[in-house]
């Protein structure tokens, strides 16, 4: 394993630093915003802004990389991410923070895509699974460490803004000093909703609802924890424990989904999420332990949904198209991420802290109803036609390049050939005189 990881160790280090700073950045904003008196709707718009920037980054960063190259583009993304958080420390108003948060989302998507593209290019068929697994663990560990670091100091000052900016800047050093050649061009995103719908309607609906639920929780969990009176250390745990619980739960859930109808597994997981939602709404827990227990159950459910949905969609996808399907679903998930924090922010303004889980329970109930309907309408995929469940980090940190890195060598080559053929067709159509 060490021999496989040494060639990509610098990239993994850069990714770890990026995710550490991102975890710190994502938690310090709602904590500091709540302390400054920002309303729940305004804090929700921070998540919406980030998601808009992230989706835009997935679409446009491949063009930037094509123009200036991977190393320069990565340096620009890290630099602007550092500038963004420093600006947010200097001018603490929601009207300023929301658009600057969109810049952060754009930069984070771009930097992650570049790292993943580089890893995918360096991975051999024999090492691809190992590299993807280690990359996922590095991202989870770094994000969690960044969130927990908030508990070590005072969130009301400049400290964590400065530390995150420093780590963003450090993240560009490993790639800047790398002597390896630039990888192949980044995967271009092509969101083909009719094709995704024909492939698997339940995947499209469910991934949008998961985007709403997870985007709401990822943005406003710290605000909820602050409003119910948790300490800063407990707030950091409230945000990080669900991610770890979701990573652990994917092992048994993935095992089950490989052996039965994945939609039924999704149904059970959604019911578990509803149970946790109801716990927060009906019990309205104030003590730290009950909140952490409930949020662990909640995280184990919601962060296992996305990989189940992607695996189900890929079971139906034509051979060689799983990367395109995964990338398309990620964009639909991003659209849910845009809507979710705004909806939850409005709900929290109207109903108090429990408005967060009123939002998520609606999303989860709708998922249950539609999934149950599709189980009745469409037969399950035959066992011999099913692919293997692929564990993943929380989808909020995934990009279209993640699908290329996780996919097999043949699928990556198929996608590259399709992209080259499409570019050639476009070139021919451009050079042809339509009057001839």
């Amino acid at each position: 394993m060490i021999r496989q990881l040494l060639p990509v160790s610098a990239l993994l280090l850069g990714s770890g630093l990026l995710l550490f700073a991102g975890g710190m950045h994502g938690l310090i904003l709602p904590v500091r915003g709540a302390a400054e008196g920002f309303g729940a709707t305004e804090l929700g718009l921070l998540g919406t802004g980030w998601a808009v920037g992230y989706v835009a980054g997935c679409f446009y960063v491949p063009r930037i990389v094509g123009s200036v190259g991977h190393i320069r583009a990565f340096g620009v993304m890290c630099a602007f991410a550092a500038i963004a958080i420093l600006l947010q420390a200097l001018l603490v108003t929601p009207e300023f923070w929301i658009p600057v948060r969109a810049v952060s989302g754009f930069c984070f998507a771009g930097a992650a895509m570049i790292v993943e593209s580089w890893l995918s290019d360096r991975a051999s068929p024999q090492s691809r699974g190992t590299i993807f697994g280690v990359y996922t663990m590095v991202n989870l560990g770094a994000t969690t460490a960044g969130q927990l670091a908030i508990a070590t100091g005072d969130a009301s000052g400049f400290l964590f803004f400065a530390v995150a900016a420093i780590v963003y800047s450090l993240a560009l050093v490993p790639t800047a000093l790398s002597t390896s050649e630039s990888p192949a061009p980044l995967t271009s995103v092509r969101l083909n909703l009719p094709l995704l719908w024909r492939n698997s309607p339940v995947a499209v609906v469910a991934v949008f609802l998961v985007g709403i639920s997870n985007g709401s929780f990822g943005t406003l969990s710290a605000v909820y924890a602050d409003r119910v009176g948790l300490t800063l250390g407990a707030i950091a745990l409230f945000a990080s424990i669900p991610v770890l619980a979701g990573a652990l739960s994917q092992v048994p859930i993935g095992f089950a989904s490989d052996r039965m109808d994945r939609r039924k597994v999704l149904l059970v997981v959604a019911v578990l999420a509803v149970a946790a939602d109801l716990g927060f709404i009906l019990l309205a827990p104030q003590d730290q332990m009950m909140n952490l227990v409930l949020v662990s159950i909640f995280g184990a459910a919601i962060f296992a949904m996305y990989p189940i949905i992607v695996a189900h969609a890929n079971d139906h996808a034509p051979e060689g198209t799983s990367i395109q399907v995964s990338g398309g679903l990620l964009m639909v998930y991003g659209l849910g991420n845009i809507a979710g924090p705004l909806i939850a922010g409005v709900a929290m303004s109207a109903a108090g802290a429990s408005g967060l889980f009123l939002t998520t329970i609606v999303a989860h109930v709708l998922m249950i109803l539609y999934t149950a309907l599709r189980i009745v309408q469409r037969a399950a995929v035959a066992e011999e036609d099913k692919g293997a469940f692929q564990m993943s980090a929380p989808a909020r940190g995934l990009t279209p390049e993640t699908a290329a890195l996780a996919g097999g060598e043949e699928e990556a080559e198929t996608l590259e050939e399709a992209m080259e053929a499409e570019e050639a067709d476009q070139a021919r159509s451009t050079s042809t005189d339509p009057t001839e």
Side-chain angles (χ1 to χ4, degrees):
M1 177 185 289
I2 295 177
R3 188 180 301 128
Q4 294 174 332
L5 295 177
L6 278 177
V8 296
S9 57
L11 296 171
L12 292 172
L13 175 60
S15 178
L17 292 169
L18 180 73
L19 269 294
F20 180 90
M24 185 177 291
H25 192 176
L27 188 56
I28 190 62
L29 292 184
V31 171
R32 178 65 179 275
E36 295 289 339
F38 291 10
T41 302
E42 295 167 331
L43 292 169
L45 282 170
L46 286 176
T48 295
W50 190 91
V52 169
Y54 197 92
V55 171
C58 290
F59 277 104
Y60 291 108
V61 167
R63 303 181 188 180
I64 297 173
V65 174
S67 299
V68 303
H70 288 69
I71 294 176
R72 290 177 179 175
F74 187 79
V76 169
M77 298 300 157
C78 292
F80 272 95
I83 292 169
I85 192 171
L86 290 174
L87 286 174
Q88 288 171 321
L90 293 175
L91 188 57
V92 185
T93 66
E95 294 80 11
F96 183 71
W97 274 21
I98 292 166
V100 173
R101 188 59 174 151
V103 174
S104 299
F106 186 95
C107 294
F108 197 88
M113 288 181 75
I114 292 167
V115 169
E116 291 167 3
S117 171
W118 219 318
L119 288 172
S120 182
D121 192 72
R122 293 292 170 266
S124 65
Q126 295 76 24
S127 65
R128 184 173 291 270
T130 299
I131 289 174
F132 178 72
V134 172
Y135 171 74
T136 300
M137 288 189 292
V138 166
N139 286 358
L140 286 170
T143 301
T144 302
Q147 292 174 331
L148 292 176
I150 298 295
T152 63
D154 184 4
S156 63
F158 186 74
L159 174 64
F160 292 117
F161 291 86
V163 171
I166 291 169
V167 179
Y168 273 135
S169 301
L170 287 174
L172 67 83
V173 174
T175 54
L177 295 178
S178 174
T179 58
S180 60
E181 297 178 0
S182 292
L186 270 64
T187 301
S188 297
V189 180
R190 295 177 179 86
L191 180 55
N192 189 334
L193 282 176
L195 178 63
L196 287 173
W197 183 264
R198 289 194 299 271
N199 180 65
S200 176
V202 73
V204 175
V205 172
V207 83
F208 179 74
L209 294 171
V210 170
I212 290 176
S213 169
N214 293 17
S216 302
F217 181 78
T219 301
L220 294 168
S221 59
V223 179
Y224 171 89
D226 177 72
R227 290 193 174 184
V228 298
L230 299 188
T231 64
L232 182 58
I235 291 173
L237 288 172
F238 192 85
S240 59
I241 283 179
V243 178
L244 296 177
L248 294 174
S249 70
Q250 289 183 43
V251 176
I253 288 172
F255 181 85
S257 76
D258 282 342
R259 286 155 180 79
M260 60 185 296
D261 188 344
R262 297 194 204 273
R263 296 170 300 178
K264 294 180 179 179
V265 178
L266 179 63
L267 206 61
V268 172
V269 172
V271 169
L272 181 63
V274 167
D277 292 325
L278 288 173
F280 282 110
I281 295 168
L282 299 179
L283 299 179
Q286 301 294 313
D287 64 290
Q288 176 176 317
M289 184 55 65
M290 178 59 72
N291 273 291
L292 293 180
V293 169
L294 284 175
V295 85
S296 298
I297 299 170
F298 184 79
I302 68 166
F303 290 123
M305 291 177 177
Y306 183 83
I308 297 173
I309 294 167
V310 172
H312 172 71
N314 285 332
D315 288 341
H316 290 280
E319 187 176 354
T321 64
S322 64
I323 293 177
Q324 297 99 308
V325 169
S326 299
L329 289 176
L330 181 65
M331 291 300 99
V332 177
Y333 176 89
L335 297 177
N337 259 205
I338 292 171
L342 176 58
I343 296 170
V346 172
M348 291 181 77
S349 295
S354 64
L356 171 59
F357 294 101
L358 289 172
T359 303
T360 59
I361 196 172
V362 171
H364 296 148
V365 168
L366 289 175
M367 188 188 308
I368 290 170
L369 294 176
Y370 190 73
T371 303
L373 176 65
R374 291 300 300 173
I375 290 174
V376 174
Q377 292 179 338
R378 188 177 188 180
V381 177
E383 289 297 319
E384 60 271 16
D385 295 331
K386 293 177 68 173
F389 178 90
Q390 182 75 58
M391 289 185 61
S392 72
R396 190 174 172 85
L398 301 181
T399 76
E401 289 295 332
T402 312
L405 176 60
E409 193 74 15
E410 293 182 2
E411 291 174 341
E413 290 176 357
T414 299
L415 178 59
E416 185 175 349
E417 291 170 359
M419 290 170 59
E420 290 175 352
E422 183 170 332
E423 290 171 359
D425 289 341
Q426 291 175 349
R428 283 194 296 270
S429 63
T430 303
S431 61
T432 300
D433 186 350
T435 61
E436 293 182 353

